[in-house]
Amino acid sequence: QVQLVESGGGLVQAGGSLRLSCAASGRTFGSYAMGWFRQAPGKERELVAAISWRGGATSYMKGRFIISRDNAKNTVYLQMISLQPEDTAVYYCAASRAQYSTRDEDYVYWGQGTQVTVSS
């Protein structure tokens, strides 16, 4: 079982950067693939980035975002660069028992989300 808590969201000017953090509980964190997703009002949830158990495989589906993890600290990060207003959304951290996945249906543990707002 994994509990996830996101932090690091907030208001940022267009062109700026933010780093989101996701703190995970549990002794089996290193056995989970991790992903970041986002959802804006009226839109479907979409994958932002995913990372395998030990970080050997990664996907950056939205280009300007970099995912990383530190299993010793039970933490996964999302570095967001050159943010634009269209990046405004609630960002969610999620965990999957798969070794690696880019499908949201494979993720079974979800954080509460953190709001990212980008001003023009």
Side-chain angles (χ1 to χ4, degrees):
Q1 185 179 14
V2 176
Q3 289 81 43
L4 306 172
V5 180
E6 303 96 333
S7 62
L11 177 65
V12 64
Q13 190 177 28
S17 300
L18 284 174
R19 189 179 75 161
L20 306 183
S21 298
C22 175
S25 68
R27 60 186 179 275
T28 60
F29 176 75
S31 297
Y32 290 83
M34 301 296 296
W36 284 97
F37 298 80
R38 70 184 184 185
Q39 188 168 28
K43 294 186 176 181
E44 296 291 326
R45 185 173 59 201
E46 63 178 353
L47 176 71
V48 176
I51 188 167
S52 63
W53 286 352
R54 294 175 174 83
T58 56
S59 296
Y60 309 112
M61 307 302 289
K62 301 302 177 182
R64 294 169 286 106
F65 303 157
I66 301 172
I67 190 170
S68 62
R69 68 190 298 164
D70 186 338
N71 289 349
K73 296 181 179 179
N74 285 357
T75 303
V76 63
Y77 305 95
L78 183 69
Q79 180 67 54
M80 304 187 292
I81 303 170
S82 298
L83 285 162
Q84 300 299 313
E86 56 265 33
D87 297 317
T88 296
V90 178
Y91 284 72
Y92 297 92
C93 176
S96 171
R97 299 207 66 176
Q99 183 176 11
Y100 177 75
S101 177
T102 59
R103 297 179 176 271
D104 58 359
E105 59 264 31
D106 289 337
Y107 288 82
V108 296
Y109 300 107
W110 295 82
Q112 82 288 348
T114 185
Q115 177 71 47
V116 173
T117 303
V118 184
S119 62
S120 60

